[in-house]
Every structure is written in C-alpha cells, then in structure tokens.
C-alpha cells in the first residue's frame, strides 16, 4: 500500500519521477486488489508537480492487479452521478 506522501515527497525533493511500491501485499497479507486500488487512486488524486510515478512491482499477479486499476475509470463516491 502507498500513501499520498509518496508523490508529494517528490515535490519536496524537486523530483520529476518517483517510485511507489506495493508494500505489504506479500508476507504481511494486505489484500492485493485493495492495495492496487488505493495506490492508483492516491496517485490520481495527489496534488503534485511530479510528472511520473513508477509502480515497482515484483510479480506478474501484482502487475496485473495494478494494470487493471490503472486502466479502469476512477472510482466515484456512492451517490455521485454525472449530469
């Protein structure tokens, strides 16, 4: 799982590209789908001048979960309707 501080930390350093890991999805057992969703949404929602966030993923199943969320539309809060 990642947090909003990952992309924003790049701002503090003046970085244009920052890495983000799928932390805790292995031995600690954090649910992979939830981690991927949270990581992607966090990067999408971050207010940052960072140009690129690279997810560093070590297994095909982790990569597949992140790809699915990167290519899916952003989640909307319950009850949110487009005009």
């Amino acid at each position: 799982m990642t947090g909003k501080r990952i992309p924003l930390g790049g701002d503090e350093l003046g970085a244009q590209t920052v890495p983000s890991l799928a932390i805790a999805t292995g031995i600690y057992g954090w649910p992979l789908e939830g981690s991927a969703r949270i990581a992607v949404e966090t990067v999408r929602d971050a207010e940052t001048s960072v140009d690129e966030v690279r997810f560093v993923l070590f297994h095909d199943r982790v990569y597949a979960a992140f790809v699915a969320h990167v290519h899916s539309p952003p989640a909307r809060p319950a009850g949110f309707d487009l005009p």
Side-chain angles (χ1 to χ4, degrees), residues 16 30 51-52 82:
Q16 296 300 306
W30 185 271
D51 292 329
E52 180 177 44
L82 294 175

Side-chain angles (χ1 to χ4, degrees), residues 65-77:
F66 273 72
V67 166
H69 286 284
V70 166
H71 293 294
S72 67
R76 294 194 235 328

Side-chain angles (χ1 to χ4, degrees), residues 1-78:
M1 185 171 96
T2 63
K4 289 191 179 191
R5 296 190 69 205
I6 299 296
L8 298 178
D11 287 325
E12 295 164 3
L13 298 171
Q16 296 300 306
T17 302
V18 295
S20 182
L21 305 172
I23 297 171
T25 59
I27 194 166
Y28 293 107
W30 185 271
L32 178 55
E33 291 299 319
S35 179
R37 180 185 51 77
I38 291 167
V40 171
E41 288 177 2
T42 297
V43 170
R44 283 181 175 157
D45 294 343
E47 294 182 16
T48 181
S49 63
V50 170
D51 292 329
E52 180 177 44
V53 175
R54 292 186 181 189
F55 292 110
V56 181
L57 310 168
F58 294 101
H59 300 286
D60 290 341
R61 67 182 184 82
V62 177
Y63 176 79
F66 273 72
V67 166
H69 286 284
V70 166
H71 293 294
S72 67
R76 294 194 235 328

